[in-house]
Amino acid sequence: MTTLGTHAAVAATTVTKAGFGKLPDGTTAEIYTLKNADIEVGITNYGARVVTIKTKDRDGKVGDVALGYNSVEGYVVEGTAKTYFGAIVGRYGNRIRGGKFTIDGHEYQIPPNNNGNALHGGPHGFDDLVWTGKELPNGAEMSLVSKDGDMGFPGTLTLHVLYTLVGDSLHINYKATTDKTTVVNVTNHTYFNLAGDGSGPILPEVMQINADQYTPIDAGLIPVGGAQPVKGTPFDFNTPTVIGARINDANEQLKLAGGYDHNWILRGKAGELKVAAKVVDPKTGRVLTISTTEPGVQFYSGNFVDGSYTGKTGTKYEKYAGFCLETQHYPDSPNQPEFPSTLLKPGETLHSTTVFAFSVQK
Ligand code: BGC
């Protein structure tokens, strides 16, 4: 008998790098595969995107729960009708009214790319850039330098996004600095389908969001009227509720977005890691728990996915093919001073963490 204590073996993660097809300029895109006993995640340096997330269901059967394409060409071909599958969106994820905002009396203009507003950083946001990838012992780091004036934003922004596997979780750590005061809101835009990529609508999945308030929108999907209680509305997900249960209710807010496409104000302190949402797929037993240091989450039910694109499994992605839970600061914060600030100043470092944890329910 050994006198040494027995330690449970920590699941080792392997990281491998391979080609992921050709970018428009002829260079080869990269894919980093992070794998341990629990999950396998594919990350490409085009848009720092999550391409695949393979997890086990309640019977131990492995399935891919992230929407996307088999090679980089699929992402590039989307052109202007973008889904943002798996991407890190920025410099300002979500919307800015008219693409305009003012810092220290200076007005900046981002080219509008969504009903007259700027969405996800304008027409060529971070989703559309080739990042510098680096293999790390338990993950991959994606880095980017967005120049002063990139898409109209002030200041050179240096951004590092670290993807690491910790047991059954994918951790995403963001770190950013600037040389001029700017606005930053970066998030990950993975579309999840816990029953499996290409398996049909996510409407039967059960959603829980830890929020008492959300920010209702106007026709351009921009918050108006500040924070409002979710109580008594189809936006109350404090009790786990089937996504499709109320999605077609005669509710003005649902009609404006064709489903859910709103920002929830999370309970708990911004800056502290807290559970934002939990989703259960009753069919496979897969459970996704999302924690974040961000103050909000955009729950988007894939309303504008319209059958134009065919994904990894060879199936067309139709409306509600996946849901996004984009942990973030609130939309249009640069123009809404009552919202938590998205300003980043020289000498400051933005730190943000989001964790996607996978488990199963019997
Ligand atoms: C937005 C949607 C948009 C989607 C993809 C989401 O973050 O909230 O309105 O259609 O991204 O473009």
Side-chain angles (χ1 to χ4, degrees):
M1 243 178 77
T2 172
T3 51
L4 295 171
T6 49
H7 295 278
V10 175
T13 297
T14 58
V15 181
T16 51
K17 179 177 155 184
F20 192 53
K22 289 261 181 290
L23 289 158
D25 70 357
T27 56
T28 301
E30 298 163 353
I31 187 159
Y32 295 76
T33 303
L34 286 40
K35 189 172 166 32
N36 67 20
D38 299 313
I39 55 173
E40 181 184 319
V41 174
I43 311 281
T44 177
N45 65 330
Y46 179 64
R49 291 165 194 263
V50 170
V51 174
T52 51
I53 304 179
K54 293 182 184 167
T55 66
K56 291 176 190 149
D57 70 6
R58 66 159 72 86
D59 301 320
K61 195 171 150 254
V62 175
D64 188 350
V65 297
L67 273 54
Y69 303 110
N70 282 320
S71 74
V72 77
E73 287 90 344
Y75 296 95
V76 173
V77 160
E78 282 195 354
T80 50
K82 291 191 202 180
T83 58
Y84 300 88
F85 283 154
I88 296 296
V89 291
R91 184 180 301 197
Y92 197 95
N94 216 307
R95 292 173 171 83
I96 298 178
R97 188 181 294 282
K100 281 190 195 357
F101 58 92
T102 304
I103 299 175
D104 296 334
H106 192 294
E107 188 176 273
Y108 295 94
Q109 174 73 61
I110 313 309
N113 58 335
N114 187 266
N115 299 315
N117 302 312
L119 173 66
H120 300 328
H124 298 289
F126 294 172
D127 60 290
D128 202 17
L129 299 180
V130 179
W131 296 51
T132 304
K134 192 166 120 194
E135 290 167 84
L136 294 174
N138 295 304
E141 185 184 53
M142 297 286 144
S143 302
L144 185 77
V145 177
S146 164
K147 294 204 178 84
D148 185 12
D150 181 14
M151 285 287 107
F153 290 97
T156 304
L157 185 85
T158 306
L159 174 62
H160 301 281
V161 178
L162 184 61
Y163 288 105
T164 42
L165 296 192
V166 181
D168 56 13
S169 306
L170 173 65
H171 287 229
I172 314 177
N173 287 288
Y174 302 83
K175 196 173 145 188
T177 52
T178 184
D179 63 2
K180 249 188 223 171
T181 304
T182 189
V183 290
V184 189
N185 193 28
V186 279
T187 188
N188 178 275
H189 208 286
T190 295
Y191 288 64
F192 297 96
N193 186 325
L194 298 182
D197 177 20
S199 70
I202 45 77
L203 299 178
E205 300 186 17
V206 180
M207 173 71 68
Q208 185 180 359
I209 304 177
N210 293 331
D212 300 317
Q213 295 177 302
Y214 77 121
T215 50
I217 51 172
D218 65 10
L221 310 197
I222 304 246
V224 274
Q228 297 297 330
V230 294
K231 208 172 162 54
T233 77
F235 294 84
D236 190 349
F237 282 97
N238 282 298
T239 305
T241 307
V242 169
I243 293 175
R246 302 166 297 184
I247 205 165
N248 292 314
D249 279 11
N251 173 284
E252 186 58 25
Q253 285 294 314
L254 288 170
K255 286 207 182 118
L256 286 170
Y260 294 101
D261 195 356
H262 298 75
N263 170 64
W264 273 254
I265 296 179
L266 296 170
R267 274 197 299 275
K269 273 201 190 135
E272 277 177 17
L273 196 65
K274 59 208 169 284
V275 175
K278 186 173 165 184
V279 192
V280 178
D281 175 44
K283 203 166 88 191
T284 60
R286 286 200 187 91
V287 180
L288 163 65
T289 306
I290 297 194
S291 304
T292 189
T293 57
E294 288 295 310
V297 67
Q298 182 93 2
F299 164 35
Y300 169 53
S301 50
N303 318 328
F304 302 114
V305 180
D306 64 357
S308 303
Y309 303 122
T310 299
K312 281 176 272 176
T313 62
T315 6
K316 274 200 170 117
Y317 289 130
E318 303 286 354
K319 188 171 184 178
Y320 309 140
F323 65 83
C324 301
L325 284 166
E326 304 154 57
T327 54
Q328 60 175 10
H329 274 58
Y330 314 161
D332 198 38
S333 296
N335 297 308
Q336 307 210 23
E338 69 282 14
F339 290 170
S341 173
T342 52
L343 281 181
L344 182 68
K345 297 181 179 151
E348 295 176 348
T349 303
L350 174 154
H351 289 283
S352 177
T353 299
T354 290
V355 178
F356 300 155
F358 296 91
S359 56
V360 289
Q361 189 168 287
K362 291 291 164 197

